[in-house]
Amino acid sequence: MRTAPEVPPRSETGRTGPVLAIVLLGTFMAILDVAVVNVAIPAIRSDLHTSYGGVELVISAYTLTYAALLVTGGRLGDLYGRKRLFITGLLVFSAASALCGAAPGVGVLVTARALQGVGGALLYPQVLAIIQVTFTGERRGRALGTFGAVIGIASIAGQLVGGGLLAADVFGLGWRAVFLVNIPVGLLAAVAAWRVLPHDEPAEDTQLDRTGVALAAAFLLLLCVPLLEGRDLGWPPWLLACLVAALPTGVLFLTYERRLGERGGQPLVPVDLFRNRGFALGVPVAALFMMSYGGFLLTLAVHLQSGLGYSPLRAALTYTPAAVGFFVTSLLAPRLVPLLGRHVLTFGLVTAALGLFGAAATVEAAGAGLQAWQLAPTLLVTGLGQGFAMSPLVGTIIAGVEPRDAGAGAGVVTTTLQTGNVLGVALIGLLYFTVLGSAGTPTASAHAFAVVLPVCAALLLVASVLMARLPAPLGEASNALIERLPGWASGFAYSMFLMTGGRIGDRLFNDVFQHFRERRLRRLDEAPSGYGDFLAYYFDRHGDDGGWLAYLQREALAYGKGAVPHEEQRTEVIQAQVDEIRRRQRDGVLGERLDPELLRLLSFATASYPRLVPQVTRMMTGLDADDPRFRQRWADFLRAVGGAVEEAARERQGPA
């Protein structure tokens, strides 16, 4: 499957800094607006005289359209160019923000929030694609690490910025300021993007699954809108009919996607992915986690402000321990993944559940007299657990998926995350307001909040059980696509990298393989002519391929005798090496009776063996394969072996 042609990476001295700053600014805006509305809920409800169901729809309208169109945004970037779609997304987002700020009623605000989701879905998938084609090597790793950090900071800032703007009441705008602040930032970013971002050309054969998009959007609307609005509207028959119609619509969507894939099309959701047991179990884990997370954030904001009368800023500061904990463990989790694998997620899910249980006990005991400091310890524990769970979530779920399906799998998981967020807001919010009833007193709010927190915790515990049932993928502690990222950023950056809904994961694999291919072909020209010197040179240069060799080890176990990704391209490299042996035979360096294919196989195995099985090397010699003393011994041995092969070849060819 072709993707949009990539522009050559800019030089180290090029304008890569401004490129990164611009795309990260777009990322910051998109993530910020997911969280910023929570602290403005009471102000919006009071000013627009709407119900809590209406405000929930304000929150969910953004997430709904974002979830429905995220994969489509990646495809549109392939069709029309990443730069063009990024700028279009910024302009749509800015215009929608202006409409949010000017909304005279909740209906217009919901529509504007949906348009914001469209803008976010257009710009967000392009961010990682632009980073991928602009940066190379370690600079790309640093850029992806910065990208991950920006997401964490934006998640925290969403609460604090919203609370600060509401507290400052800028120009008397009240809650409208949290949206209007996006306009100058978005417009400046769009102008800068037009001048600075690299140009790219559309792909020729990317297809847009319009029917799939329409069916997915219809399913999400039929399912979520009744859950959000049903309680306030008294569950009228038309809403119940919508809820009932959601099931056949979902079945129709999956049936259409399966048939489209069978016809050789490009479905929005490759249904075949669910034949993978790990993926099929992992997707519900993503949904359950975000249901808990979305419901927790909504009810926390409502309880603190509407229930206890906290100011927006005080409510934001109360949430800060959870946000800080989330950010810290998001960066710490990659260090634990090599030791614990997917169990890092299990640990995170259980830890977050314990934090929520503790918060429920604290809220129930304190009642209407709850102080922020009393809630801080349990919120910190909750945030720490959520960070451990979220950071490696996507990468773990798709670990057993074939590399060519990594991008598509990530798109499914990301859409599931956003859908789970909507369902959490709807279902947990429905439970909270049902328990709260019409009283609305601080004591009633405390009781309702104490009821929903264990439910949020239970969702996490169910997710942890499913996570424990996930089959352990071979080599689960690492992934070929993150070998080139620095250890401190790899898990978080890779998880966020895959949360784009596009085929960027496969692009990164292509990039890794292309660098490997170029290095191998370049070595053919650089290698000494003598066979022994060639083997020693080959082993020495193999030290540059540590990440690739580690991937080959896992791949050999995972695929066995089956075809491997990009096998035809690999055959091209191997054939070039065989041709080089034939050239040496024509030059008289090697005997003609030596089989070129088998000699190439012997050369690869002999030169690569110590680094492919370093444990055996250490047990046999007491030295590490990269120890200078071993390298010298092995190089001398390879020269001796090569010299013996050449001598034997000359002796056999002599009489002939």
Side-chain angles (χ1 to χ4, degrees), residues 47 101 165-166 169-178 180:
D47 187 44
L165 288 173
L166 285 165
D169 194 19
V170 181
F171 301 121
L173 292 171
W175 61 267
R176 300 177 187 274
V178 304
L180 295 176

Side-chain angles (χ1 to χ4, degrees), residues 209 211-212 215 247-263 267 269 271:
D209 180 12
T211 303
L215 288 173
L247 179 60
T249 304
V251 172
L252 179 61
F253 168 69
L254 294 176
T255 302
Y256 174 80
E257 295 295 281
R258 178 178 57 81
R259 291 179 178 175
L260 180 62
E262 291 173 350
R263 295 198 303 266
V269 175
V271 180

Side-chain angles (χ1 to χ4, degrees), residues 328-398:
V328 169
T329 49
S330 291
L331 298 179
L332 178 61
R335 296 182 180 274
L336 297 180
V337 169
L339 297 174
L340 302 176
R342 71 190 189 284
H343 299 300
V344 172
L345 280 86
T346 305
F347 173 77
L349 292 167
V350 173
T351 301
L354 292 176
L356 291 173
F357 281 127
T362 302
V363 170
E364 185 68 39
L370 180 70
Q371 299 297 314
W373 63 268
Q374 294 174 298
L375 206 53
T378 55
L379 289 184
L380 177 63
V381 173
T382 300
L384 291 171
Q386 290 169 339
F388 275 129
M390 184 61 193
S391 175
L393 178 63
V394 180
T396 300
I397 292 174
I398 69 167

Side-chain angles (χ1 to χ4, degrees), residues 525-570:
D525 297 328
E526 298 173 350
S529 59
Y531 184 55
D533 290 333
F534 166 73
L535 291 179
Y537 171 88
Y538 197 84
F539 169 72
D540 181 62
R541 290 298 182 269
H542 243 55
D544 300 332
D545 294 334
W548 182 254
L549 288 175
Y551 172 69
L552 291 180
Q553 290 172 308
R554 294 190 300 278
E555 185 181 65
L557 294 172
Y559 290 94
K561 297 180 181 180
V564 296
H566 307 282
E567 185 164 313
E568 293 182 2
Q569 295 169 270
R570 300 185 193 204

Side-chain angles (χ1 to χ4, degrees), residues 114-492:
L115 289 175
Q116 272 192 321
V118 173
L122 292 179
L123 73 88
Y124 191 76
Q126 321 313 325
V127 172
L128 276 303
I130 292 171
I131 290 177
Q132 198 265 335
V133 300
T134 305
F135 297 88
T136 58
E138 292 183 2
R139 288 173 60 84
R140 177 181 295 155
R142 289 194 296 270
L144 289 173
T146 306
F147 169 76
V150 165
I151 291 176
I153 293 170
S155 299
I156 298 173
Q159 307 287 331
L160 297 177
V161 169
L165 288 173
L166 285 165
D169 194 19
V170 181
F171 301 121
L173 292 171
W175 61 267
R176 300 177 187 274
V178 304
F179 298 111
L180 295 176
V181 72
N182 291 324
I183 301 172
V185 178
L187 292 178
L188 287 174
V191 172
W194 179 260
R195 295 177 59 86
V196 175
L197 293 188
H199 181 67
D200 59 297
E201 295 295 332
E204 297 177 359
D205 60 353
T206 296
Q207 302 170 13
L208 183 60
D209 180 12
R210 294 181 176 85
T211 303
V213 173
L215 288 173
F219 168 70
L220 291 174
L221 289 172
L222 290 171
L223 175 64
C224 297
V225 171
L227 295 175
L228 292 166
E229 289 287 281
R231 186 187 65 88
D232 288 330
L233 297 180
W235 295 102
W238 67 271
L239 271 184
L240 293 174
C242 288
L243 198 57
V244 171
L247 179 60
T249 304
V251 172
L252 179 61
F253 168 69
L254 294 176
T255 302
Y256 174 80
E257 295 295 281
R258 178 178 57 81
R259 291 179 178 175
L260 180 62
E262 291 173 350
R263 295 198 303 266
Q266 297 177 15
L268 194 67
V269 175
V271 180
D272 287 347
L273 287 174
F274 289 91
R275 295 177 180 173
N276 181 298
R277 180 169 174 264
F279 187 82
L281 284 173
V283 168
V285 171
L288 290 168
F289 174 80
M290 284 306 293
M291 285 176 66
S292 171
Y293 187 66
F296 161 69
L297 288 183
L298 168 72
T299 52
L300 176 65
V302 172
H303 173 60
L304 292 178
Q305 293 187 66
S306 297
L308 301 182
Y310 282 21
S311 69
L313 183 58
R314 186 182 179 190
L317 292 173
T318 301
Y319 166 76
T320 299
V324 171
F326 185 100
F327 180 61
V328 169
T329 49
S330 291
L331 298 179
L332 178 61
R335 296 182 180 274
L336 297 180
V337 169
L339 297 174
L340 302 176
R342 71 190 189 284
H343 299 300
V344 172
L345 280 86
T346 305
F347 173 77
L349 292 167
V350 173
T351 301
L354 292 176
L356 291 173
F357 281 127
T362 302
V363 170
E364 185 68 39
L370 180 70
Q371 299 297 314
W373 63 268
Q374 294 174 298
L375 206 53
T378 55
L379 289 184
L380 177 63
V381 173
T382 300
L384 291 171
Q386 290 169 339
F388 275 129
M390 184 61 193
S391 175
L393 178 63
V394 180
T396 300
I397 292 174
I398 69 167
V401 173
E402 293 188 15
R404 66 174 180 270
D405 295 325
V412 174
V413 177
T414 305
T415 301
T416 301
L417 286 169
Q418 302 305 324
T419 305
N421 188 23
V422 175
L423 291 175
V425 169
L427 296 174
I428 302 299
L430 177 63
L431 176 61
Y432 173 84
F433 292 117
T434 299
V435 175
L436 178 65
S438 58
T441 63
T443 301
S445 178
H447 175 65
F449 190 47
V451 168
V452 301
L453 285 176
V455 175
C456 294
L459 293 173
L460 296 179
L461 292 179
V462 173
S464 70
V465 172
L466 292 177
M467 181 58 63
R469 293 175 61 84
L470 246 66
L474 294 166
E476 75 171 349
S478 51
N479 189 299
L481 302 185
I482 64 172
E483 293 291 347
R484 299 174 65 208
L485 301 186
W488 64 268
S490 60
F492 189 85

